[in-house]
């Protein structure tokens, strides 16, 4: 290739990149203009806000709808995840997720579903309310993180509404805002001041304040986001390895005795390293697309599977047509599910092998401890995907490699357990 050709190619690449950037910017159109009607601070009833903003409120109420997802994953029906993946019961043995682990549904059900969850009991702490309602603003104002250690029942009594308008909007200016203190602190430790975020960033942050991985600080039950080393599954795992704030484990596995971590809906972390996030696409672009009614443009507040609004959600950027898009999503999800199911089953086999080894009176204790560390990590790599809500779509590449690691580590855990028990490998 001549020097001239090389220069031309370089120039062309820059032009293509720039065009790509412009397309994404155009995709993210500015907010529709609305007349701002100031609402009293601390007003959490969406019906009151709805009088001022009827289009947004009408679409918000669609979240009461309960229907499956067109691809058969996710969806807004309250079904148990273990129906399709029975290995979950074995993998969460000894902790409440083995009793009740339902698929998520619309925001309007957040408080009701918390109240009805079999994972909740008289000993449950106020921290659980953090990602369910804007009342957390009041609780935090009154007692700082002290609210997290109060009995959940006491705070539930005062909580009259689930995720509503004040969760994401300043009631006087309608500007986007975040109120979850754990999110604000987690970002601050990464050097990010959320009060200085751009509008585009806020279109993701309002969701990320809840759709993120967390743990409870021992003693105080303060909610902490494990982000100090980064968002990748390996980075969060090594953060936990340092026993942050004295946190060692979420629970001890009933069969293998391994000190386990429970991953929680890491939608934001997974999404952040994927193609769409890197191209500047935000959660709201797909989950709150622009709609029109009577000539008025507004953001859909029917936050659900974008496959139910595929054209509005994707076609502002993609010209391939809805059939191609839904086929792509379905393919990604089918492949993720297969690998996730296999990895989950292998992790379950590892717990069983370790249990068997531990029952052997002559077991090699050091090797047994090694097998428990391996299964802890294997399960983390599986669960960080299984607990993510998009069945692979938010970041197909990272999800596939992570599940590959889960499988490999599960096999290593089985081999290690067999070694500990003195069972030779053929
Ligand atoms: C206050 C915390 C909170 C915020 C903020 C929040 N969510 Fe949620 N989200 C939840 C909870 C809790 C559920 C599960 C509710 C249930 O199952 O009862 C949920 C469920 C969902 C679902 C499943 C809906 C269905 O039909 O199955 C989607 C999709 C979703 N959220 C996306 C988003 C997006 C996108 C944003 C930002 C625009 C966002 N969420 C902001 C807490 C939150
Ligand atoms: C490029 C489009 C796109 C973006 C951007 C996006 N998502 Fe999604 N999301 C999807 C698709 C597609 C699904 C799969 C829906 C299904 O299975 O029916 C999904 C599924 C989900 C679900 C589960 C829905 C259900 O039916 O249970 C949640 C929760 C969710 N996303 C949250 C988020 C959050 C939070 C962000 C930002 C951090 C985000 N998404 C960014 C496209 C997107
Ligand atoms: C989970 C977060 C979230 C909740 C809850 C929420 N909104 Fe929004 N809202 C958004 C986002 C994101 C936008 C887009 C803002 C932007 O791009 O500047 C928006 C935009 C708006 C706008 C500006 C016009 C438009 O349609 O883009 C109005 C008005 C509005 N919302 C009203 C409401 C009302 C009323 C409620 C309660 C019934 C509500 N919102 C609940 C996230 C939320
Ligand atoms: C705001 C713009 C925007 C929106 C909205 C958007 N995308 Fe994309 N999408 C992109 C960009 C940019 C890329 C990366 C460059 C490319 O492949 O064109 C991409 C890539 C993809 C890819 C290939 C890469 C991958 O991760 O597998 C698929 C599939 C895809 N998008 C599906 C969807 C679907 C489905 C929706 C709606 C639920 C959607 N997109 C919404 C901008 C967008």
């Amino acid at each position: 290739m001549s020097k001239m050709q090389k220069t031309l190619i370089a120039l062309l690449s820059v032009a293509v990149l720039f065009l790509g950037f412009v397309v994404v910017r155009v995709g993210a159109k500015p907010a529709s203009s609305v007349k701002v009607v100031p609402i009293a601070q601390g007003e959490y009833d969406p019906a009151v806000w709805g009088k001022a903003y009827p289009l947004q409120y009408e679409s918000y109420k669609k979240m009461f709808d309960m229907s499956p997802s067109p691809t058969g994953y996710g969806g807004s029906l309250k079904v148990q995840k273990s129906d399709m993946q029975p290995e979950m019961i074995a993998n969460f043995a000894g902790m409440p997720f083995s009793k009740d682990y339902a698929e998520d549904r619309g925001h309007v059900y957040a408080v009701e579903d918390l109240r009805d969850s079999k994972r909740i009991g008289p000993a449950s702490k106020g921290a659980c309310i953090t990602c369910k309602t804007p009342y957390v603003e009041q609780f935090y104002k009154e007692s700082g993180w002290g609210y997290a250690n109060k009995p959940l029942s006491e705070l539930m009594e005062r909580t009259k509404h689930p995720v509503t308008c004040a969760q994401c909007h300043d009631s006087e200016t309608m500007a986007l805002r975040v109120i979850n203190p754990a999110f604000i602190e987690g970002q601050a430790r990464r050097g990010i001041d959320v009060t200085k975020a751009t509008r585009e960033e806020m279109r993701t942050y309002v969701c990320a304040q809840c759709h993120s991985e967390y743990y409870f600080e021992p003693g105080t039950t303060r909610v902490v986001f494990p982000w100090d080393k980064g968002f990748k599954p390996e980075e969060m795992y090594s953060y936990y390895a340092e026993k942050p704030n004295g946190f060692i484990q979420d629970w001890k596995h009933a069969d293998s005795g391994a000190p386990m971590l429970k991953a929680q809906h890491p939608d934001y972390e997974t999404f952040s390293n994927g193609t769409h996030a890197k191209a500047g696409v935000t959660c709201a672009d797909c989950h709150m697309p622009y709609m029109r009614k009577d000539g008025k443009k507004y953001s859909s507040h029917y936050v659900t599977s974008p496959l139910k609004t595929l054209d509005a959600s994707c076609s502002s950027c993609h010209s391939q047509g809805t059939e191609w898009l839904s086929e792509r999503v379905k393919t990604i999800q089918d492949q993720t599910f297969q690998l996730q199911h296999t990895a989950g089953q292998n992790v379950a086999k590892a717990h069983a092998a370790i249990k068997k080894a531990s029952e052997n009176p002559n077991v090699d204790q050091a090797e047994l401890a090694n097998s428990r560390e391996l299964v802890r990590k294997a399960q983390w790599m599986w669960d960080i995907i299984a607990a993510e809500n998009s069945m692979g779509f938010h970041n197909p590449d990272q999800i596939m490699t992570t599940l590959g690691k889960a499988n490999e580590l599960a096999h290593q855990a089985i081999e290690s357990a067999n070694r500990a028990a003195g069972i030779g490998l053929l």
Side-chain angles (χ1 to χ4, degrees), residues 69-71 73-76 103-104 204 207-208 211 267-268 271 276 281-283 285-287 304-307 329 333 389-391 393-394:
S69 155
T71 62
Y73 303 106
S76 322
E103 183 52 54
D104 62 0
T204 287
C207 316
H211 287 265
D267 303 322
Y268 172 51
F271 170 74
H276 281 106
V281 185
T282 68
C283 310
D285 287 333
C286 294
H287 287 278
T304 187
S305 163
L307 302 175
V329 178
Q333 292 190 326
N389 281 299
S390 70
M391 193 54 80
F393 178 78
H394 287 149

Side-chain angles (χ1 to χ4, degrees), residues 75-76 104-105 107 109 113 131 167 206-207 210-211 287 303-304:
S76 322
D104 62 0
R105 51 180 182 160
H107 287 156
Y109 295 109
D113 286 346
C131 284
Q167 196 89 49
V206 289
C207 316
C210 299
H211 287 265
H287 287 278
V303 180
T304 187

Side-chain angles (χ1 to χ4, degrees), residues 62-326:
K62 284 198 193 147
M63 281 188 288
F64 283 107
D65 165 71
M66 289 179 18
S67 56
S69 155
T71 62
Y73 303 106
S76 322
L77 296 172
K78 211 176 160 186
V79 291
Q80 287 295 321
K81 289 191 190 231
S82 55
D83 291 351
M84 277 170 88
Q85 301 167 82
E87 60 276 16
M88 287 202 166
I89 295 171
N91 292 346
F92 298 124
M95 69 97 82
F97 276 90
S98 62
K99 286 189 243 149
D100 187 2
Y101 196 177
E103 183 52 54
D104 62 0
R105 51 180 182 160
H107 287 156
V108 290
Y109 295 109
V111 170
E112 182 184 323
D113 286 346
L114 174 67
R115 183 172 288 130
D116 295 346
S117 172
K118 292 197 193 79
R119 296 200 300 269
I120 299 300
S124 294
K125 300 291 183 149
C128 303
I129 206 89
T130 307
C131 284
K132 306 292 186 292
T133 173
Y135 280 85
V136 76
E137 181 188 31
Q138 269 180 18
F139 301 151
Y140 188 75
K141 253 187 209 149
E142 284 167 18
S143 36
W145 274 115
Y147 85 83
N149 237 357
K150 289 190 173 164
L152 177 62
S153 54
E154 187 186 316
L155 302 184
M156 284 289 259
E157 235 162 70
R158 294 175 54 196
T159 301
K160 305 281 179 257
H161 300 285
V163 186
T164 59
C165 322
Q167 196 89 49
C168 307
H169 292 288
D170 180 295
S171 63
E172 274 158 29
T173 64
M174 285 311 279
L176 291 178
R177 67 167 193 173
V178 287
I179 55 173
N180 180 357
F183 176 76
I184 298 166
E185 291 171 7
Q187 291 291 47
R189 288 199 313 277
R190 299 174 66 222
I192 294 173
D193 177 354
V194 295
T195 62
K196 300 211 166 69
T198 63
R199 178 180 152 239
E200 288 299 299
E201 285 164 343
M202 287 307 284
R203 285 168 59 85
T204 287
Y205 287 0
V206 289
C207 316
Q209 63 179 320
C210 299
H211 287 265
S212 296
E213 156 68 5
Y214 67 85
Y215 67 97
F216 292 148
E217 181 180 66
T220 66
T221 331
R222 184 170 67 101
V223 183
V224 190
F225 289 3
W227 293 346
D228 302 30
K229 289 176 189 283
F231 283 163
K232 299 211 172 106
E234 281 284 357
E235 291 166 337
M236 289 192 276
Y237 191 81
S238 66
Y239 168 83
Y240 281 128
E242 289 175 8
K243 305 185 174 59
N245 301 307
F247 174 82
I248 299 167
Q249 61 184 37
D250 280 306
W251 92 105
K252 190 171 163 188
H253 196 275
D255 296 328
S256 66
M260 304 301 292
L261 299 168
K262 174 75 195 83
Q264 309 279 3
H265 38 72
D267 303 322
Y268 172 51
E269 295 89 337
T270 309
F271 170 74
S272 292
N273 289 311
T275 313
H276 281 106
K278 296 287 180 208
V281 185
T282 68
C283 310
D285 287 333
C286 294
H287 287 278
M288 299 186 68
Y290 292 114
M291 300 282 178
R292 264 184 199 284
K293 197 177 175 189
D294 306 330
K296 283 190 197 128
K297 188 175 149 204
Y298 66 100
S299 305
S300 168
H301 280 61
Y302 176 27
V303 180
T304 187
S305 163
L307 302 175
K308 293 177 185 165
T309 51
L310 204 59
D311 202 29
S313 288
C314 323
S315 298
S316 51
C317 300
H318 290 281
S319 56
Q320 294 98 329
T322 50
E323 212 168 294
W324 183 88
L325 288 163
S326 61

